Amino acid sequence: MDKKTSSAPSIWRVNLTPAVIGLIPAAVGINYVAKAFAEGLKLPVWLGSLGTFLASMLAGPIPGAISGFINNVIYGLTLSPVSTVYALTSIGIGIAVGVLHAKGGFSSARKIFVSALIIALVSSVISTPLNVIFWGGQTGIAWGDSLFAVLVANHVPVFIASFVDEFVLDILDKVVVAYVACLIYKQIPKKMISYFKD
Amino acid sequence: MDANQQIVLDNLSVRYRGEDEEALKGISLTAKTGQIIGIIGNSRSGKTTLCDVLSGIIPNIVSSHVSGTVRLGEFSPFEAFDEYNFHTGVVLQNTAGQLSGLSDTVFDEIAFGLINQGMSEEEASKSVVRAACQMGLEDLLEQAPDTLSGGQTQRLAIASEIAFDPEFLIMDDPTSQMDPVGRKEFFEWLAGCSEKTIFIVSNEVDDLCEIADQLWVLEKGELIASGKPLDVINQVAEGHDLYLPVVYRMAKELGKKLPSGLFPVKLSELKGCFDDQN
Amino acid sequence: MEKPEMMQENLTRPWHERIDPVTKLLLIAVLTLLSFVLTNIFAEAALILATIFLLLFSGKLGSSMKALGFCAFMILTMLLIQGLFYPHNETLAFSLGAIAFYQEGLTYAALLGCRIIVIVLATNFFMRTTTISENAKYLENAGMKYKTVYLLMSVCYILPQMMQNLKKIQLAQRARGIGEQKSLIQKFKTILPILIPLVIKTLDQSMSRSISLQLRNFESKKRTVRALRRTYLMDKMFHRALGLTSIILIGCKVWMLINK
């Protein structure tokens, strides 16, 4: 109990320190590169939240959420306009990763898996209404959308079909991203970790 | 000597947070201001850490366990950092990361620090042009910083720092990406900087021997030699795995010693040895 | 002294450069909201036409068309899926052999598609007619804290840098034949040794940058706010008008949803 109350204020700081201001563009850049990698190699995952994961792990949920938010807004204004609305999803992912990381959710292979499932759930819950509003429920990934089509054809309500479409993809994506992020985090020099933690 | 014209490092130790070993171990030194001080050593010898302390990055921006004192003239990085920072120019090892990343042109990048200090645009403009000319960037002022070559980027980073005319200039390997011509120009410029105190980490030991007033040699976080290049190189030549200047190696090969019994480290000294014999 | 020069400069500049960035952003908001308030496919088409004219008159239509490429595919699959399986499908539109497309689904997908096109085109107007430094200077002059301006703008700048990095890597990958391996595990094994150092280098760079920003006093209160080299047409009035329109449109949409 004691520990919780003393650690709570530290992870929820909102202060935009210069370290965080440096970290956020890096996180967006990493998101972009990872996404481009996945597209270039035709991987069945997006990987576009890798930088947000790392920002949350390094600096906490608020900087992570800000990274995610700015990521989508800037993407929207420079590369693909519709991605702006998914800023909400990115905020959710940033907060979820930051909280889980602070609570030790990334400390073992099994915990990472569970954490990834929780993050996938958060992401899907936020994304599904957006998918329905903007894309009639689709996600834009071919095999997820085929699943969606099959479900809708069998009279499953659009919201549920869309959620299944999104969640299946999100599980795969977030599990891969979580493991890759941890792999990278372990290789970050201690000096850098303590710099961004402050 | 007037304390305000002295550089003092007293028992300086640094340990990064989360690391067990000290990056710098009890460094003590005094030197006069207004000199060019070359800092050499192999990788992981603590050169960059020393630069970070001299620039005040440690412990003001990157918190670390630091003990001892550092004083450059009347300023200390451990006391009034803003004041200290105002008088020091710093060129980081990672030059690309040093740029603001937000300038459309080389001109804007050099002006960044000046504008931040509240200098008027007109005044800043003069300083920018002056600094650019010193670094040979006058023709590139309208170019975008990310179109520059590695060497040009390093010159841009240096120009951005000398634009506000700091008394102390601290540079961590500022020529690593310059071509031979650019490097030669840089060291010529450096040799002509008589009124500044300059700390420069570099692997260009040959060039440092030519222009530096002092050399400090680090090994595994300890200071193993300091003083005039001639004395220092002769002192560390044996028993340390360091790069030795070509002139020194040549002189040794040829058996040419100075009257003091030391092997020369500068070209002019070597020439002198030959002239004496003829 | 400066004024006549500035005015002359303004007269020679194309109209879209005389509109400030915030007005353009608000314009995106208004067009997007309008596309959501409208539910008639013809009205949507008119809205698309309006945005096309906006781009046409600013001479940016050609470059914006490429941006539609990605969503074109999504819109096609949407027409396919909704045309076939939309829950309210009743009226047969046409059939290809045994496959029947329904009117309701097609209309619904077309409506969504139109909205996407409006958003993409309106955003492209902003993208193609502003520069990052112009936006930065405008926001700073409008009183935004430099720290925030820096944050937003540095993100814009990092993307082209990363793109460059990426191109180099992709070339190297092609040279080594990565991407031809079929198995997923193999793909991951080959990309991780490239991705991880790149990520760490990026983080290292960001640490240097943030250190250097502090050394260069970017948070200084003394910072000179640089004068705008451009002046804008009635920016305050545009902001109020477009802001008000956005609020009214949001109101309309909410009212429509309640009354549904």
Side-chain angles (χ1 to χ4, degrees):
Chain A
M1 278 308 278
D2 224 9
K3 252 187 190 168
K4 261 185 195 166
T5 47
S6 68
S7 74
S10 71
I11 72 163
W12 291 111
R13 75 215 163 105
V14 193
N15 194 7
L16 274 182
T17 62
V20 171
I21 288 181
L23 181 61
I24 288 171
V28 175
I30 294 166
N31 282 344
Y32 176 73
V33 165
K35 194 167 122 88
F37 257 112
E39 281 167 11
L41 292 173
K42 301 200 173 59
L43 301 177
V45 285
W46 298 294
L47 301 187
S49 54
L50 182 62
T52 310
F53 266 66
L54 287 167
S56 289
M57 289 161 80
L58 283 165
I62 301 287
I66 298 173
S67 302
F69 174 75
I70 291 183
N71 177 67
N72 284 61
V73 170
I74 298 294
Y75 253 54
L77 290 178
T78 53
L79 298 164
S80 83
V82 187
S83 75
T84 313
V85 291
Y86 292 93
L88 290 174
T89 313
S90 293
I91 292 174
I93 293 172
I95 290 174
V97 174
V99 172
L100 288 165
H101 187 258
K103 306 257 176 225
F106 287 83
S107 55
S108 70
R110 210 167 45 91
K111 281 187 184 166
I112 295 172
F113 188 78
V114 177
S115 297
L117 291 184
I118 297 172
I119 295 159
L121 187 67
V122 170
S123 165
S124 307
V125 166
I126 305 173
S127 296
T128 302
L130 299 173
N131 291 342
V132 173
I133 294 171
F134 286 88
W135 301 106
Q138 289 174 232
T139 53
I141 298 263
W143 64 275
D145 284 346
S146 330
L147 185 66
F148 171 75
V150 170
L151 290 172
V152 175
N154 288 297
H155 308 292
V156 174
V158 170
F159 253 97
I160 293 176
S162 178
F163 180 81
V164 172
D165 177 354
E166 177 74 33
F167 192 50
V168 170
L169 294 171
D170 256 335
I171 288 177
L172 189 62
D173 184 55
K174 298 303 175 288
V175 168
V176 171
V177 173
Y179 281 109
V180 173
C182 283
L183 203 63
I184 293 173
Y185 189 82
K186 275 195 198 123
Q187 293 185 38
I188 297 175
K190 278 179 194 156
K191 191 176 147 187
M192 222 192 275
I193 292 183
S194 80
Y195 180 68
F196 288 119
K197 275 259 144 62
D198 287 335
Chain B
M1 200 180 357
D2 187 353
N4 283 347
Q5 289 171 8
Q6 250 193 329
I7 298 158
V8 181
L9 272 65
D10 188 21
N11 204 14
L12 172 71
S13 295
V14 173
R15 184 163 57 79
Y16 287 110
R17 290 203 330 206
E19 306 270 351
D20 298 326
E21 212 184 329
E22 289 182 324
L24 289 178
K25 298 164 193 162
I27 308 247
S28 296
L29 265 177
T30 52
K32 265 198 316 204
T33 55
Q35 303 193 91
I36 298 174
I37 297 165
I39 301 169
I40 59 173
N42 291 325
S43 63
R44 303 194 63 80
S45 58
K47 291 176 293 183
T48 293
T49 309
L50 184 56
C51 272
D52 286 354
V53 174
L54 289 170
S55 56
I57 293 171
I58 292 175
N60 296 293
I61 297 175
V62 174
S63 65
S64 309
H65 306 283
V66 180
S67 61
T69 48
V70 174
R71 189 162 275 285
L72 304 189
E74 52 190 306
F75 312 108
S76 167
F78 303 159
E79 286 155 25
F81 177 58
D82 283 343
E83 169 89 3
Y84 184 87
N85 188 27
F86 186 74
H87 294 276
T88 49
V90 182
V91 178
L92 300 175
Q93 195 174 27
N94 184 343
T95 348
Q98 166 154 17
L99 303 186
S100 70
L102 193 59
S103 305
D104 285 334
T105 61
V106 167
F107 183 98
D108 284 354
E109 181 62 38
I110 302 176
F112 183 74
L114 304 171
I115 297 284
N116 287 345
Q117 282 176 7
M119 199 185 264
S120 73
E121 286 198 63
E122 208 175 315
E123 233 180 303
S125 169
K126 279 184 206 148
S127 302
V128 169
V129 173
R130 183 177 45 77
C133 287
Q134 288 187 52
M135 282 297 121
L137 294 168
E138 61 273 23
D139 296 332
L140 303 174
L141 282 173
E142 291 307 312
Q143 229 169 295
D146 54 5
T147 61
L148 300 183
S149 69
Q152 287 169 332
T153 308
Q154 286 183 315
R155 282 193 274 160
L156 171 56
I158 299 164
S160 308
E161 292 303 300
I162 58 177
F164 65 92
D165 204 18
E167 281 162 64
F168 301 92
L169 192 56
I170 299 139
M171 297 185 278
D172 192 350
D173 208 2
T175 64
S176 59
Q177 295 182 55
M178 290 187 192
D179 58 27
V181 178
R183 195 152 56 222
K184 187 165 165 278
E185 283 171 1
F186 168 79
F187 278 104
E188 274 165 13
W189 166 81
L190 196 59
C193 278
S194 48
E195 70 286 11
K196 289 189 201 310
T197 307
I198 293 171
F199 298 91
I200 171 171
V201 164
S202 180
N203 295 319
E204 308 299 334
V205 181
D206 295 287
D207 293 306
L208 284 182
C209 284
E210 293 293 334
I211 59 129
D213 301 303
Q214 290 228 349
L215 277 189
W216 296 355
V217 187
L218 294 174
E219 190 178 81
K220 291 179 184 147
E222 285 176 74
L223 183 76
I224 57 168
S226 65
K228 291 203 178 79
L230 179 66
D231 302 324
V232 167
I233 295 293
N234 277 277
Q235 188 190 334
V236 299
E238 300 296 329
H240 302 280
D241 187 23
L242 284 166
Y243 174 87
L244 297 171
V246 174
V247 171
Y248 174 90
R249 283 182 283 157
M250 215 194 267
K252 201 169 180 184
E253 200 77 10
L254 298 169
K256 300 283 182 198
K257 282 189 183 177
L258 292 169
S260 57
L262 298 171
F263 290 111
V265 297
K266 274 190 191 185
L267 210 52
S268 58
E269 291 168 350
L270 182 64
K271 254 172 118 185
C273 291
F274 279 97
D275 292 346
D276 285 350
Q277 278 182 349
N278 294 338
Chain C
M1 280 290 277
E2 256 180 53
K3 274 217 163 136
E5 225 175 88
M6 256 176 153
M7 269 163 67
Q8 210 160 36
E9 196 213 316
N10 280 335
L11 287 174
T12 54
R13 272 183 13 232
W15 67 274
H16 56 82
E17 286 186 11
R18 282 185 277 161
I19 294 176
D20 69 281
V22 173
T23 298
K24 289 175 186 166
L25 281 176
L26 285 168
L27 194 64
I28 299 179
V30 166
L31 289 169
T32 305
L33 288 167
L34 198 58
S35 78
F36 273 90
V37 169
L38 299 174
T39 48
N40 179 304
I41 188 84
F42 295 107
E44 292 286 350
L47 198 55
I48 293 180
L49 212 60
T51 52
I52 286 179
F53 273 119
L54 198 62
L55 286 162
L56 193 65
F57 288 135
S58 49
K60 309 286 175 187
L61 187 61
S63 49
S64 304
M65 278 306 160
K66 281 180 223 150
L68 286 175
F70 164 76
C71 48
F73 180 74
M74 271 292 272
I75 292 170
L76 277 180
T77 60
M78 227 156 50
L79 285 167
L80 185 73
I81 294 181
Q82 303 296 349
L84 292 172
F85 310 123
Y86 185 56
H88 305 292
N89 275 347
E90 276 171 10
T91 330
L92 188 73
F94 60 91
S95 53
L96 300 167
I99 309 165
F101 283 89
Y102 293 88
Q103 194 121 38
E104 289 80 5
L106 290 174
T107 313
Y108 173 66
L111 189 69
L112 292 183
C114 286
R115 285 177 185 159
I116 301 284
I117 293 172
V118 169
I119 296 172
V120 171
L121 291 179
T123 312
N124 259 272
F125 174 65
F126 174 83
M127 278 152 65
R128 310 278 164 190
T129 61
T130 59
T131 63
I132 301 172
S133 63
E134 184 199 355
N135 297 343
K137 281 183 194 143
Y138 186 83
L139 290 177
E140 198 185 350
N141 269 273
M144 193 186 257
K145 256 208 227 152
Y146 185 66
K147 204 156 89 166
T148 320
V149 176
Y150 180 86
L151 181 59
L152 291 173
M153 297 307 140
S154 60
V155 174
C156 298
Y157 273 95
I158 205 168
L159 290 177
Q161 285 170 23
M162 296 305 271
M163 257 184 252
Q164 279 178 352
N165 282 344
L166 198 68
K167 270 189 198 135
K168 281 183 213 154
I169 292 167
Q170 280 167 341
L171 268 177
Q173 276 181 332
R174 231 165 282 153
R176 284 191 242 162
I178 299 176
E180 282 151 32
Q181 289 104 333
K182 292 279 167 337
S183 120
L184 266 183
I185 305 277
Q186 258 180 334
K187 277 184 183 171
F188 269 107
K189 273 191 181 152
T190 35
I191 68 158
L192 285 181
I194 307 166
L195 188 63
I196 293 177
L198 181 65
V199 168
I200 295 194
K201 191 181 141 206
T202 307
L203 290 173
D204 185 46
Q205 195 123 321
S206 82
M207 183 170 158
S208 295
R209 180 154 289 164
S210 105
I211 288 172
S212 158
L213 284 173
Q214 291 171 76
L215 290 175
R216 295 173 83 184
N217 277 314
F218 90 121
E219 283 188 278
S220 157
K221 293 197 178 65
K222 284 187 286 184
R223 189 181 148 82
T224 316
V225 175
R226 302 182 76 176
L228 285 171
R229 289 197 194 117
R230 295 175 171 179
T231 48
Y232 295 102
L233 280 175
M234 308 177 283
D235 51 349
K236 292 267 148 47
M237 197 201 80
F238 274 131
H239 296 174
R240 285 196 200 114
L242 291 169
L244 192 67
T245 316
S246 303
I247 294 168
I248 293 171
L249 288 170
I250 293 173
C252 282
K253 187 72 199 175
V254 171
W255 187 74
M256 281 161 69
L257 288 174
I258 293 170
N259 281 294
K260 212 170 169 182

